[in-house]
Amino acid sequence: MKRSLLILLTVLCLKGFSQTSILVTNITNTASPAAMVANQIIANTTTFNATSTNDIDIKNTGSVTNVYKVKRYDVVKNTGAEPRFCFASQCYATAQMVSLQSITLTAGQSASEVQGTFQIITADLDETVAVGYSYIKYSVINTANANDSLQFSIKYNAPAGFNELNANGLSGFELFPNRASDATVLKVSS
């Protein structure tokens, strides 16, 4: 019994720490492309009535051929901003959140090595009304295994000193008085 439990725990741990088959590289600045880690944030500044573009290459680092799709999440979208993306020979308007087309990459192959236009991820944001803060996330997903995915974000015009609240940032909170009738105070320690 103990041996079976140990084997099960080992398999679960290995599954939990397994590596993704996806390498994502920011190639916007072709002079110095930068490999990205999971959940990395790209900071961009936009201007009024202009398009900000980021070019992202993906590579299959697995040992077998994989098929990938891209999904966009608009976490915060500035009023009038229009996020779009192109991938696998197709461009998608603001309303389209998931790529309809997928790209097939053999082991070790990058999207930039595939013939045709817009094989890489081209993430655009148009500022049409006024410049403001937008926070857009993208996920590259292996269609055969949704757990094999990698997510990155692009923050546009983030205010200086802006930090996301994370679970490790809170050290405690208090709610008082207990049995409040008209008002309650929430004290947060971070």
Side-chain angles (χ1 to χ4, degrees):
M1 178 71 176
K2 287 181 183 180
R3 184 176 177 168
S4 297
L5 185 58
L6 181 61
I7 291 170
L8 178 62
L9 287 173
T10 303
V11 168
L12 290 174
C13 286
L14 289 175
K15 180 170 175 41
F17 295 113
S18 63
Q19 294 291 324
T20 179
S21 72
I22 307 163
L23 174 67
V24 177
T25 305
N26 184 352
I27 60 172
T28 304
N29 180 356
T30 55
S32 60
M36 297 167 50
V37 295
N39 300 313
Q40 185 166 337
I41 298 171
I42 300 170
N44 270 10
T45 303
T46 63
T47 57
F48 174 69
N49 218 13
T51 301
S52 175
T53 300
N54 286 279
D55 293 325
I56 310 295
D57 196 7
I58 65 170
K59 181 177 184 174
N60 177 2
T61 60
S63 58
V64 297
T65 297
N66 288 312
V67 178
Y68 301 99
K69 283 195 169 216
V70 171
K71 183 172 184 177
R72 187 187 86 226
Y73 307 85
D74 297 343
V75 179
V76 175
K77 188 174 77 165
N78 179 34
T79 304
E82 295 180 12
R84 298 182 315 270
F85 71 99
C86 298
F87 177 69
S89 298
Q90 180 130 7
C91 290
Y92 301 98
T94 300
Q96 184 67 38
M97 304 302 272
V98 179
S99 62
L100 300 174
Q101 298 292 326
S102 56
I103 191 168
T104 302
L105 299 175
T106 58
Q109 186 179 28
S110 295
S112 59
E113 298 171 340
V114 175
Q115 293 294 326
T117 58
F118 296 118
Q119 298 300 325
I120 63 173
I121 302 168
T122 301
D124 294 336
L125 183 81
D126 283 343
E127 291 282 19
T128 57
V129 176
V131 172
Y133 175 64
S134 293
Y135 178 15
I136 313 296
K137 287 187 176 186
Y138 291 89
S139 290
V140 179
I141 304 161
N142 180 342
T143 60
N145 177 5
N147 291 325
D148 183 15
S149 65
L150 193 137
Q151 188 173 73
F152 64 92
S153 304
I154 305 173
K155 288 187 179 181
Y156 301 89
N157 308 312
F162 182 81
N163 290 321
E164 295 295 321
L165 181 62
N166 63 46
N168 295 331
L170 288 180
S171 59
F173 67 92
E174 297 176 57
L175 188 61
F176 58 89
N178 195 354
R179 305 278 265 169
S181 58
D182 291 341
T184 300
V185 174
L186 175 63
K187 181 179 175 184
V188 179
S189 302
S190 62

